[in-house]
Amino acid sequence: MAMLPNPLPKLATDPSGRSLGLQLPPGRLIDATIDGPWHEPLLWSADDPARPGDWSALLPARKAAGLHPVLIGSGGSAHNQQPEDWDLAPAMMSYPGDHDAEEVLEDFWEEYAADELSTPEDHPDDSAWPGLAPATSPDLAPDDVAADIADALSAEDSWLSRARLALVPARRSADIPAALGWTGPLNHENDVARLCSVLRSWEDRFGIRVVALTFDQLVVSVAAPPTTSDEAEAVAAEHFAFCPDNITQGSYADLHEYAAKAVLDQPAWSFWWD
């Protein structure tokens, strides 16, 4: 797959972004990786914490310059607050479009389900992969839902209230983690492009957008979440394969409770890797 041209270097001499059809607040370009400076900027980051409304203001950058907005932060901790401290590793990433989402999820399911899901009812049919959940139809525009979730995360009382808004060159929102070389799920998967293939599938089936990243957390907005228990449990199985720590190290008794409380009718899904 041919690489998209990266518009970020233009911001080095045009910080306002006017040459790209943008009007950016003060910010900086970031090229730091675990192996030293990357050959081009990986992202642009605003200097000040995001406020409600900022996401919508930068959303036109996607069409104007192929730059996708995402909140980046530390979740309230001073540790690993800046992307320079995230051990970004773009050289480790393949291309999300080279992977099949169902194959990726099935591989993870087969690796983790038998050991981690403790009761037969959690994984019927002898831990067989249940297959992809059916798509649902969004009632709201995905970008509108993403803006609402971003605004909520930017509020003063949010756990991510100090997050900054960033712009990342990527083909689609689902590709943001791989485009950054994000290593948050490193203990689960080294090549985040494989997980991005799943995000692409969720983008197609449920209207998700990648809204926020921290050192080891991912938040996506969901324009078309499951609305029945059966649909939610099918999606919960995908979540388990995608991020087992959500269930095995979370506050949920089992996959059924996770489906009911974290998936059903939820406009945002969050993931954390130990």
Side-chain angles (χ1 to χ4, degrees), residues 225-226 231-233 235-236 239 258-267 269:
E231 291 173 347
E233 295 211 2
V235 172
H239 283 205
Y258 176 84
K261 293 183 177 180
V263 178
L264 182 66
D265 291 319
Q266 293 300 309
W269 299 334

Side-chain angles (χ1 to χ4, degrees), residues 61-97:
R62 187 183 64 196
K63 293 183 178 179
L67 296 170
H68 292 262
V70 63
L71 292 170
I72 53 173
S74 64
S77 169
H79 180 61
N80 293 324
Q81 185 171 4
Q82 303 299 329
E84 294 94 327
D85 303 320
W86 286 7
D87 294 339
L88 298 179
M92 291 173 55
M93 307 304 160
S94 59
Y95 175 60

Side-chain angles (χ1 to χ4, degrees), residues 57-172:
L58 285 191
L59 188 58
R62 187 183 64 196
K63 293 183 178 179
L67 296 170
H68 292 262
V70 63
L71 292 170
I72 53 173
S74 64
S77 169
H79 180 61
N80 293 324
Q81 185 171 4
Q82 303 299 329
E84 294 94 327
D85 303 320
W86 286 7
D87 294 339
L88 298 179
M92 291 173 55
M93 307 304 160
S94 59
Y95 175 60
D98 289 340
H99 306 283
D100 179 82
E102 182 161 21
E103 290 180 1
V104 169
L105 289 172
E106 185 173 8
D107 285 348
F108 283 135
W109 178 270
E110 291 177 351
E111 181 176 355
Y112 292 102
D115 293 334
E116 299 290 355
L117 297 178
S118 57
T119 59
E121 59 267 22
D122 280 334
H123 47 99
D125 195 22
D126 295 325
S127 300
W129 164 241
L132 293 181
T136 54
S137 300
D139 293 327
L140 301 171
D143 287 338
D144 290 344
V145 177
D148 288 343
I149 298 302
D151 285 353
L153 291 173
S154 302
E156 290 185 2
D157 59 350
S158 166
W159 65 276
L160 204 58
S161 62
R162 301 296 297 172
R164 289 167 170 78
L165 196 56
L167 292 174
V168 178
R171 290 185 179 274
R172 50 198 289 183

Side-chain angles (χ1 to χ4, degrees), residues 35-73:
D35 297 315
W38 193 238
H39 61 85
E40 60 184 4
L42 294 168
L43 70 154
W44 170 90
S45 172
D47 288 340
D48 296 324
R51 299 171 297 177
D54 286 355
W55 175 282
S56 296
L58 285 191
L59 188 58
R62 187 183 64 196
K63 293 183 178 179
L67 296 170
H68 292 262
V70 63
L71 292 170
I72 53 173

